[in-house]
Amino acid sequence: MRSLMLIIMLALQLALSASAADIEVLPTGSLGDALDSASDGDTIYIQPGIYSESLAVNKTVSITGQEGAVIDGEIKIRVDGVVLSGITIRGSGINLSSNGSRIEGCNVSGCTGSGMVITGSCNSIINSTIARNGLVGIEIWGSNNTVKWNRINANDDCGIIVHGDGNILESNAILENVHDGMEIEGSSNSIARNNVSMSRGAGIEILNMSSGNVVEGNTIYGNGECGIEVIESYENNISGNSLDGNGFGIKTERATNNLISINKVQNSAEDGIIISDESKCNTVHKNSADNNHDAGVRIEGSKENMVIGNSLRGNAVGIDISSSENNTVRGNRVVMNGVGIHLDMYSTDNTLYHNAMIDNRQSALDSSVYYGKNMWDSGSEGNYYSDHTCREVCSAYEIPSGEERNNIDRFPLSSWDERLMDIKFVWPVPGCVPAYAKGLAI
């Protein structure tokens, strides 16, 4: 569908080019009059100056501003295939309800509401600055739009809010927005290679039953609340991102069956990665979580999640499980943390094996009141502890509990091989669908 739309637009532009005319507008003239006199395929050149008027673009034209051309008003683009370039727009911003239009090299700043509102499809927003607007930088309600190479900063709400599906948000600098850098609401999109940083809220927030989003290769630092947050959403792929110095690094709340993989999360003010608030069936795989203030990975009030093949170094706790059950912790390398792995008093029926706890101040702590319900081995193999000396056969390793009875790893490993981090898994986890995805009450 997207390819067909682009082909149709290209054919239309080629057909019109043979009879196209150039129209020049001076500051003493009127943009509205120029547009009225234009025909489809014409180009309107706006000379430097301030034009205090609004435009309703209802012809397939190109509108190009020379350096210093400013429109103080609103631009409504209502027909397909319009090109808007090189213009500064202030006042009321751009409303784009057409399909296949392009906005390139524009500056949309200081608007009282949102900088751009896009309800059409297959449009491109390229190399533009959208800054210091009273609400959102860009609102996207349509589908299959491309937002690329833009600077979207210091808007009074979010940098971008997306409600439509199939949009591509790539290689943008989304900085210092008052609320979140980017919100994805109830939709499925591609979010790649952006710099999303220094917002007061989250860098990227995925919420309201969003699914199928791919969030990859982004640089996310210095956001006040969280780098990436997933709320009541499912089957999103969050992979290969670099997160540094956020409140939380990556956080889920009531989220189901998401993949958090191969991210680098460091220097968070709280946890590096936290799976919380009844989150279920999430897979935390091959991430590195280093030097976070609290836990490298925390599971809190959640069940049936997998924490596999991660590297955790220099955190207060490498892996912390609290009030959670039926989680699997396997093949993780937990090095030089305060506590390697900790389970609190209300955690039960969790399984932990093939983990390496190396040079932590305390290798492990299991404070669960459900004595013996957490399994520290697979039934034949347990974990490696650098403070446990094995000779010919490893004796059982006691996991301190803080009480009279300690839990037991019956089959501790005498050595550890990093190949234990290479774990095959299936994602999405079959049959794990949240109630909210079925239209039911949570």
Side-chain angles (χ1 to χ4, degrees):
M1 177 65 183
R2 181 185 180 89
S3 299
L4 179 60
M5 179 72 72
L6 292 174
I7 291 170
I8 292 171
M9 290 300 141
L10 179 60
L12 178 61
Q13 290 174 1
L14 290 173
L16 294 170
S17 62
S19 58
D22 294 341
I23 301 171
E24 183 180 54
V25 184
L26 300 172
T28 54
S30 165
L31 296 175
D33 290 346
L35 187 59
D36 288 341
S37 66
S39 300
D40 288 343
D42 288 352
T43 299
I44 299 172
Y45 291 97
I46 306 176
Q47 296 303 313
I50 297 175
Y51 300 80
S52 296
E53 56 184 302
S54 295
L55 285 180
V57 182
N58 52 14
K59 298 176 182 178
T60 302
V61 296
S62 295
I63 304 175
T64 299
Q66 305 302 309
E67 185 175 355
V70 178
I71 296 177
D72 191 352
E74 181 180 20
I75 299 179
K76 295 182 178 180
I77 301 176
R78 296 174 174 171
V79 297
D80 298 346
V82 171
V83 176
L84 192 68
S85 63
I87 306 169
T88 293
I89 299 101
R90 65 192 192 193
S92 298
I94 299 174
N95 189 307
L96 182 56
S97 58
S98 70
N99 303 313
S101 293
R102 185 171 83 250
I103 296 172
E104 183 170 3
C106 290
N107 185 324
V108 186
S109 301
C111 299
T112 55
S114 295
M116 293 187 193
V117 178
I118 303 170
T119 56
S121 299
C122 299
N123 300 288
S124 298
I125 314 300
I126 301 172
N127 272 330
S128 295
T129 296
I130 301 96
R132 300 182 301 281
N133 296 292
L135 291 175
V136 180
I138 304 176
E139 295 182 51
I140 303 176
W141 296 84
S143 60
N144 299 312
N145 297 286
T146 297
V147 178
K148 191 171 184 179
W149 301 321
N150 303 285
R151 184 176 180 87
I152 304 164
N153 65 288
N155 296 285
D156 284 350
D157 195 326
C158 297
I160 302 177
I161 297 180
V162 184
H163 299 271
D165 293 326
N167 298 287
I168 297 172
L169 313 172
E170 182 177 325
S171 300
N172 301 285
I174 305 169
L175 310 173
E176 297 181 321
N177 294 285
V178 171
H179 188 39
D180 297 332
M182 184 186 302
E183 284 187 6
I184 308 298
E185 298 198 8
S187 57
S188 174
N189 302 279
S190 172
I191 303 143
R193 294 177 292 283
N194 302 284
N195 180 347
V196 191
S197 300
M198 297 182 291
S199 294
R200 295 183 190 176
I204 299 173
E205 187 171 57
I206 300 171
L207 68 163
N208 291 348
M209 296 183 284
S210 292
S211 66
N213 290 284
V214 177
V215 181
E216 63 180 355
N218 299 284
T219 298
I220 303 168
Y221 66 88
N223 296 286
E225 292 182 8
C226 192
I228 300 173
E229 188 168 20
V230 183
I231 304 173
E232 292 185 1
S233 296
Y234 61 102
E235 296 185 9
N236 298 286
N237 183 342
I238 300 168
S239 298
N241 302 284
S242 177
L243 301 100
D244 194 342
N246 300 286
F248 293 98
I250 301 173
K251 183 177 185 180
T252 73
E253 299 176 48
R254 300 176 300 283
T256 301
N257 218 342
N258 299 284
L259 175 63
I260 300 170
S261 182
I262 323 178
N263 300 287
K264 182 178 181 180
V265 188
Q266 61 187 10
N267 301 317
S268 304
E270 299 186 64
D271 301 314
I273 300 171
I274 175 169
I275 308 299
S276 69
D277 292 350
E278 300 182 13
S279 291
K280 181 179 178 182
C281 300
N282 298 286
T283 301
V284 180
H285 166 254
K286 286 236 174 197
N287 303 281
S288 65
D290 299 342
N291 301 316
N292 299 287
H293 186 272
D294 296 334
V297 174
R298 184 186 304 276
I299 302 177
E300 182 177 86
S302 299
K303 62 182 180 180
E304 298 176 26
N305 301 284
M306 292 195 300
V307 179
I308 54 176
N310 300 282
S311 177
L312 311 154
R313 176 186 290 267
N315 308 285
V317 182
I319 300 173
D320 198 349
I321 300 177
S322 60
S323 301
S324 298
E325 61 186 66
N326 292 310
N327 299 286
T328 299
V329 178
R330 178 185 171 192
N332 300 285
R333 190 172 188 268
V334 188
V335 181
M336 299 179 66
N337 302 279
V339 178
I341 299 178
H342 171 242
L343 282 70
D344 84 337
M345 62 189 302
Y346 299 116
S347 292
T348 184
D349 294 313
N350 299 288
T351 301
L352 309 93
Y353 67 100
H354 285 176
N355 302 289
M357 282 154 274
I358 302 171
D359 296 336
N360 301 284
R361 287 197 293 273
Q362 181 171 346
S363 287
L365 178 63
D366 184 348
S367 305
S368 177
V369 297
Y370 305 100
Y371 175 73
K373 294 286 283 183
N374 294 306
M375 298 300 299
W376 285 85
D377 56 64
S378 65
S380 59
E381 291 185 319
N383 305 280
Y384 174 75
Y385 310 87
S386 63
D387 59 354
H388 186 51
T389 302
C390 297
R391 292 181 171 83
E392 292 184 6
V393 178
C394 272
S395 59
Y397 184 87
E398 291 194 8
I399 311 295
S401 67
E403 302 295 334
E404 293 183 3
R405 295 189 303 176
N406 292 329
N407 286 292
I408 302 294
D409 183 339
R410 297 169 295 173
F411 308 104
L413 303 176
S414 60
S415 62
W416 192 75
D417 189 330
E418 288 197 359
R419 286 176 294 183
L420 293 174
M421 299 178 76
D422 296 328
I423 300 165
K424 293 182 179 180
F425 63 95
V426 175
W427 181 82
V429 178
C432 192
V433 180
Y436 47 77
K438 301 175 184 177
L440 305 175
I442 298 174

